Amino acid sequence: MNTLLFPVILAGGKGERFWPLSRKDRPKQFLSLDGSSRSLLQATADRLIKLGGGWDSLWVITSSQIAEGVRQQLPDLPVENLLIESEGRDTAAAVAWTSLEIKQRYGEDAVIGFFPADHWIANEEAFAHTLSAATQLAASTAAIVTLGIKPTFPSTGYGYIEQGEKIGSFNELPAYHVNRFTEKPDRETAETFLSTGRFSWNSGMFVFRAGVVLKELHTHAPEIIEPLEQQGPDIYPQLPKKSIDYALMEKTTLAYVLPVDFGWDDLGDWNAIERLLKTEENPNVELATHVGLDTQGAIIYASNPEDVVVTIGLEDVVIVRDRNVTLVVKKERTQEIKQILKILQSDSRFTDLL
């Protein structure tokens, strides 16, 4: 089966946990975090245009604040394939609007895939093989297919998918009905999940036919899909703010999972840099000019190559120097960067730091 996939990049996120490098005018998806010359958004587009349809089949949905930046990053993207949200309403609204647009242009049997702009993929050949399988399943079945990542450790930062009955194989990959989705568990629960061999991480990547997902949205999230159908994107600011997981995936009976292993990271915060770039030869991950004494387990980044970061006696910290801000945080507390941003937002002195 050679069904064309219409990939959609979800590029509206703020990437707040990568502050101060990620800011309003330069969100995480515009950054290169793996030492390459391509931003996360560009690398995602590079992967997806290879799936068969080129730039004409690729879509991007983003916010009005960074739409111009997306155009600059992806100059070959057709203008009509860029959807601009007047106000961010989370992923359920983004999926609903884009699916409506693609259905209108290509029909309800068009197979659509949704992909966050900020994921890192190690094995692109395996990724393409997986997407071919997901496309076959979605084209042949009334299915909402999610890619489940094989867990490598008992993460408490990811959601989990429990696989149920096997329904067959597609492109030599087994597919299962989803028993349930579970939000971020505590460590003991995560360890139990891994011991069963039935759970995978929820990657946030989905594949389905336009007609299937729109019908399911009518059933489970009419408060989102019906205003969009009746009034168009002008109603966007009034739509409820819900994730596609909460609005649909946790409720639908049409969820299927492909457990996959192609080397993946969602680059959620600064600790992801260590997972990508840590080597046995160096006690630290250094994306800066660093002079250290008795420093280990540190992640050190400076956007200006002329800046020198000097450390003495530090362990398990993140140090980020960007423009007029220096961040120093223990690695286990990087999730709290978002709380610091709320403090900065409440003080007019710090507006230019956001």
Side-chain angles (χ1 to χ4, degrees):
M1 184 182 299
N2 186 25
T3 302
L4 178 64
L5 174 69
F6 293 94
V8 180
I9 300 176
L10 296 163
K14 299 176 182 177
E16 291 179 328
R17 284 171 292 186
F18 272 95
W19 183 87
L21 191 59
S22 177
R23 307 201 196 186
K24 286 182 178 179
D25 62 338
R26 189 187 57 193
K28 179 174 63 169
Q29 54 265 41
F30 291 178
L31 306 175
S32 173
L33 296 171
D34 61 359
S36 74
S37 61
R38 302 290 279 172
S39 72
L40 296 174
L41 174 61
Q42 290 169 329
T44 302
D46 292 344
R47 283 195 299 272
L48 295 175
I49 61 173
K50 297 174 185 175
L51 298 178
W55 286 103
D56 287 342
S57 69
L58 180 68
W59 291 61
V60 177
I61 182 163
T62 191
S63 67
S64 57
Q65 290 90 343
I66 62 171
E68 185 54 39
V70 171
R71 293 188 185 99
Q72 293 173 10
Q73 292 248 321
L74 305 177
D76 295 320
L77 181 73
V79 174
E80 63 273 17
N81 289 11
L82 177 62
L83 300 185
I84 302 172
E85 298 174 301
S86 56
E87 183 177 318
R89 307 309 293 160
D90 215 322
T91 51
V95 167
W97 182 24
T98 313
S99 298
L100 282 171
E101 294 291 336
I102 292 177
K103 176 193 173 185
Q104 183 175 6
R105 196 183 303 182
Y106 297 105
E108 63 180 18
D109 287 332
V111 180
I112 310 170
F114 281 84
F115 306 91
D118 54 1
H119 286 183
W120 172 83
I121 304 292
N123 188 332
E124 295 195 7
E125 184 177 346
F127 176 75
H129 184 82
T130 299
L131 263 296
S132 176
T135 302
Q136 290 176 24
L137 173 53
S140 62
T141 309
I144 298 177
V145 186
T146 182
L147 305 188
I149 306 298
K150 182 179 179 180
T152 55
F153 65 97
S155 171
T156 58
Y158 296 144
Y160 285 75
I161 305 168
E162 182 182 16
Q163 65 194 43
E165 179 186 2
K166 182 179 177 180
I167 61 151
S169 294
F170 298 82
N171 217 15
E172 301 176 348
L173 293 176
Y176 302 86
H177 197 274
V178 170
N179 264 1
R180 59 171 167 150
F181 290 86
T182 302
E183 291 300 314
K184 302 173 182 178
D186 58 34
R187 185 170 182 86
E188 184 179 352
T189 303
E191 289 174 348
T192 301
F193 285 174
L194 263 65
S195 69
T196 69
R198 298 195 310 271
F199 286 81
S200 52
W201 288 334
N202 184 359
S203 70
M205 292 183 274
F206 306 98
V207 179
F208 40 68
R209 274 181 281 147
V212 171
V213 77
L214 292 173
K215 183 178 179 181
E216 287 297 281
L217 285 168
H218 271 285
T219 300
H220 300 291
E223 71 280 8
I224 294 174
I225 190 64
E226 290 178 5
L228 277 170
E229 285 185 330
Q230 295 163 6
Q231 301 180 59
D234 288 345
I235 197 66
Y236 222 83
Q238 299 177 42
L239 296 177
K241 193 172 185 179
K242 295 182 180 180
S243 70
I244 191 65
D245 285 318
Y246 178 76
L248 179 60
M249 297 307 297
E250 295 176 4
K251 301 172 182 176
T252 182
T253 60
L254 301 182
Y256 296 83
V257 59
L258 288 173
V260 297
D261 185 14
F262 40 61
W264 170 90
D265 202 297
D266 76 339
L267 302 180
D269 62 23
W270 282 105
N271 291 312
I273 302 300
E274 186 172 62
R275 295 194 292 269
L276 263 60
L277 303 178
K278 179 71 173 178
T279 64
E280 294 183 2
E281 296 77 30
N282 197 324
N284 306 298
V285 174
E286 301 174 352
L287 294 171
T289 302
H290 174 229
V291 178
L293 179 64
D294 295 331
T295 294
Q296 61 182 356
I299 301 167
I300 303 164
Y301 186 103
S303 55
N304 185 347
E306 295 182 0
D307 286 351
V308 179
V309 179
V310 180
T311 63
I312 302 174
L314 296 182
E315 186 173 350
D316 294 334
V317 297
V318 177
I319 302 170
V320 183
R321 174 70 182 164
D322 179 66
R323 288 182 270 184
N324 53 344
V325 177
T326 301
L327 168 73
V328 183
V329 58
K330 290 183 177 180
K331 287 198 293 193
E332 75 255 21
R333 299 189 66 176
T334 54
Q335 297 286 323
E336 297 173 46
I337 291 175
K338 296 178 79 169
Q339 294 175 228
I340 284 293
L341 291 179
K342 290 180 180 178
I343 296 173
L344 296 177
Q345 288 167 0
S346 66
D347 192 324
S348 59
R349 293 176 299 165
F350 302 129
T351 303
D352 66 330
L353 304 184
L354 301 173

